Amino acid sequence: MDGAVTSRATAASIRGPDGNVSKVEVISYEPATGAEVWRGPVADVDDTVARARRAWPAWAAQPLSTRMELLRRFANEVRKDAEKLATTIAREVGKPLWEARAEVDSVIGKVEVSIRAYAERTSQRKLDSALQGTMAVRHKPHGVLVVLGPFNYPAHLPNAHIVPALIAGNAVIFKPSERAPATGEMLARCFHRAGISAAVMQFAPGGPAQGAAFVAHEGVDGVLFTGSANTGIAINRRLATRPDKLVALEMGGNNPMVVWDTPKLTDAAALVVQSAFATTGQRCTAARRLIVRDTMYDAVMSEVKTLADRVIFGAPFDEPAPFMGPVIDNAAADGLTESFLYLLSHGGRAIKHLVRPDDKLPFLSPAIIDVTAMKERPDVELFGPILQVIRVSDFDEAIAEANATRFGLAASLVGGTPQEYNRFWANVRAGIVNWNRPTIGPSHAAPMGGIGLSGNHRPTGYYAADYCAYPVASGEMEQPRAVIGVGLR
Ligand code: NAD
């Protein structure tokens, strides 16, 4: 099964009257209506990199306090434009307005968190060394970093790389998702209005071709990527012979949620529905696989189904507000429908069917399918509102099922005893392991990343500071002082 969500080719060639390609553009569309949102030429990769290289040394030479002050001004610019930015996000990627507003809050919150993280994780330190000398540990920026953004959090996730990268003194080239250039442009303008130059933080619209060209460019010192595992692997492969380039990959997941003994069925169901269907299942940390103890199965699934049946899915600005918007585009909706049919025709049993009320628009209902009887379950990320359920009889089996994936982003245990949670925590392979909490909604104040196909051991979130600067160790003394104590004639 091809579970990967297919990307729509939005970097379209516009042909002039003579039939020659005169211009290449990025065009984004509102998922909820199909209306065009943004159109503009793709960035010139060589020019963009050359500009960043020229601008970087002066930015790196600014005092840290100046860079921090400019980023605080950026947060204020976002505050001023908050409603406009939220509306653009909601239009361009289809998420409900309330959720787009929460994304904007995360963009603002990222600044103070990143300032704290820089100070705590990459500040200067001096240690006493031998002979009254000093050992200093300081950090330097890498240079020009390209940030490749995903569509599902088109402002917050690229911003989660951009802000720490700028604080550390890097110049940034920001290539937003080709599905969300309007959001990217608006975010970039907030940096520029704050006084960070358009050469230090460049907005570079484009699609996969421009992304790949930036990755391969000699003038780029590192790639900060959030997106699918397939793209992450392509980037990693492209840079396999370039250990000199920094590569931070935040990729997808096939995340398990285990429901064990609990009397709190309504809360358990709310955690499941939130984890599986928030953002229409288009979150890297969304619960994809629900692993349920067989003695709890009927009671848990009845609550989950009842709640999922109440979920409103609709357009971002609908009243009453929907819980879920559409998926990103028709190609994604087609791919998810095919995936659901594949599961059904290979031994899955539908608990709640995937419904697409209008086949010209990408609205999908939440869907739940029991795949316990499937002989081989595809270990792919279904990036949408499809929850697969697996029934197990003992806790070891639950842990084995949770680990039956090449990914390793988020995992959660609902119910169980403290001892069971300890076993779960110790044995489950993931970068986020929660207890009685959703799989989604990672904290800014914690590292955020996964193992396996979910990342390359460079978590973002609070630990983004670590990959935005490299440590330099310096033994230092005001005057040369040295003697050779042995082995001289
Ligand atoms: P995607 O991989 O299709 O695209 C991400 C970015 O990479 C886009 O800017 C795209 O233009 C660019 N790109 C595509 N091909 C490229 C190539 N060959 N070389 C360089 N750049 C290229 O991802 P998407 O569909 O926009 O986002 C959804 C995916 O992101 C899901 O898999 C989701 O799990 C993942 N995600 C991960 C995290 C995390 O923190 N781990 C967070 C959000 C989303």
Side-chain angles (χ1 to χ4, degrees):
M1 177 176 75
D2 178 11
V5 174
T6 338
S7 157
R8 178 164 62 167
T10 42
S13 300
I14 309 292
R15 291 186 183 274
D18 54 359
N20 295 325
V21 174
S22 57
K23 204 168 155 194
V24 180
E25 294 197 325
V26 179
I27 307 168
S28 71
Y29 303 91
E30 262 184 51
T33 62
E36 188 177 309
V37 179
W38 194 93
R39 169 186 290 256
V42 298
D44 181 309
V45 171
D46 287 334
D47 284 358
T48 307
V49 176
R51 212 170 157 217
R53 290 228 71 85
R54 285 194 298 273
W56 169 56
W59 176 249
Q62 298 272 352
L64 176 61
S65 56
T66 305
R67 295 199 299 268
M68 286 178 176
E69 173 54 28
L70 289 169
L71 281 148
R72 288 190 165 121
R73 284 191 204 164
F74 157 73
N76 280 336
E77 290 302 325
V78 177
R79 265 186 208 103
K80 283 187 216 157
D81 250 3
E83 198 55 15
K84 226 163 105 191
L85 182 57
T87 305
T88 303
I89 294 170
R91 280 189 66 204
E92 200 168 40
V93 301
K95 62 176 71 175
L97 185 59
W98 59 266
E99 202 192 332
R101 288 180 176 139
E103 179 168 352
V104 174
D105 288 343
S106 300
V107 170
I108 296 166
K110 185 70 198 173
V111 171
E112 285 308 319
V113 165
S114 303
I115 287 173
R116 277 207 308 280
Y118 183 88
E120 189 184 302
R121 298 195 63 81
T122 44
S123 62
Q124 302 190 13
R125 271 188 294 278
K126 289 207 171 183
L127 317 164
D128 289 337
S129 173
L131 301 171
Q132 284 111 46
T134 303
M135 175 56 68
V137 180
R138 304 185 185 91
H139 290 80
K140 288 191 186 185
H142 297 280
V144 174
L145 299 181
V146 63
V147 171
L148 301 171
F151 77 80
N152 63 328
Y153 271 80
H156 169 52
L157 288 175
N159 192 61
H161 294 300
I162 296 170
V163 169
L166 289 173
I167 291 175
N170 300 283
V172 169
I173 295 168
F174 166 35
K175 193 204 79 58
S177 163
E178 58 277 18
R179 279 103 148 213
T183 304
E185 186 179 46
M186 201 172 271
L187 188 71
R189 287 201 176 133
C190 291
F191 285 103
H192 302 155
R193 281 203 306 271
I196 298 167
S197 88
V200 167
M201 211 313 285
Q202 286 189 78
F203 167 63
Q210 286 68 38
F214 281 124
V215 166
H217 203 288
E218 278 303 322
V220 168
D221 299 298
V223 180
L224 312 184
F225 167 79
T226 305
S228 63
N230 285 345
T231 307
I233 291 165
I235 293 169
N236 216 29
R237 190 176 286 137
R238 183 66 184 79
L239 296 179
T241 56
R242 298 302 302 266
D244 53 315
K245 290 205 190 198
L246 176 97
V247 186
L249 303 174
E250 318 301 336
M251 302 184 281
N254 188 12
N255 309 302
M257 178 171 243
V258 173
V259 177
W260 218 242
D261 297 324
T262 174
K264 304 199 69 175
L265 289 179
T266 314
D267 299 84
L271 290 171
V272 171
V273 167
Q274 244 181 326
S275 299
F277 302 126
T279 323
T280 325
Q282 299 171 116
R283 286 209 195 180
C284 55
T285 49
R288 308 281 174 213
R289 296 174 298 134
L290 178 63
I291 299 160
V292 189
R293 182 172 204 171
D294 52 7
T295 51
M296 299 288 294
Y297 185 91
D298 291 342
V300 169
M301 291 321 299
S302 155
E303 286 282 341
V304 169
K305 171 147 188 336
T306 303
L307 190 58
D309 282 341
R310 291 177 53 206
V311 162
I312 302 174
F313 61 102
F317 306 100
D318 279 359
E319 288 291 343
F323 182 75
M324 306 190 333
V327 294
I328 187 66
D329 57 25
N330 283 327
D334 293 346
L336 288 158
T337 307
E338 271 171 37
S339 298
F340 191 79
L341 292 175
Y342 177 95
L343 296 175
L344 265 184
S345 59
H346 286 74
R349 181 178 59 81
I351 295 173
K352 184 170 166 54
H353 274 282
L354 186 72
V355 178
R356 185 173 181 184
D358 179 345
D359 62 10
K360 292 186 195 61
L361 289 172
F363 289 96
L364 295 175
S365 70
I368 307 173
I369 183 162
D370 187 318
V371 294
T372 313
M374 278 184 82
K375 287 205 178 62
E376 279 183 30
R377 298 186 203 113
D379 179 25
V380 292
E381 179 187 49
L382 298 182
F383 207 58
I386 299 177
L387 177 65
Q388 300 169 66
V389 186
I390 302 151
R391 198 176 170 133
V392 293
S393 50
D394 67 50
F395 203 64
D396 286 337
E397 200 187 340
I399 289 176
E401 280 295 351
N403 282 336
T405 173
R406 300 162 299 161
F407 295 91
L409 189 52
S412 188
L413 173 67
V414 178
T417 61
Q419 292 71 23
E420 280 162 341
Y421 174 58
N422 286 344
R423 268 170 74 197
F424 185 76
W425 192 94
N427 292 295
V428 162
R429 298 184 67 255
I432 298 169
V433 181
N434 292 341
W435 190 25
N436 291 322
R437 302 293 304 146
T439 51
I440 59 168
S443 158
H444 290 307
M448 151 72 191
I451 54 170
L453 285 189
S454 298
N456 67 337
H457 303 272
R458 291 191 185 277
T460 183
Y462 202 71
Y463 282 17
D466 298 28
Y467 59 69
C468 289
Y470 66 94
V472 179
S474 308
E476 296 170 348
M477 215 180 249
E478 294 229 338
Q479 297 292 333
R481 189 193 300 156
V483 284
I484 296 175
V486 291
L488 294 183
R489 223 187 295 277

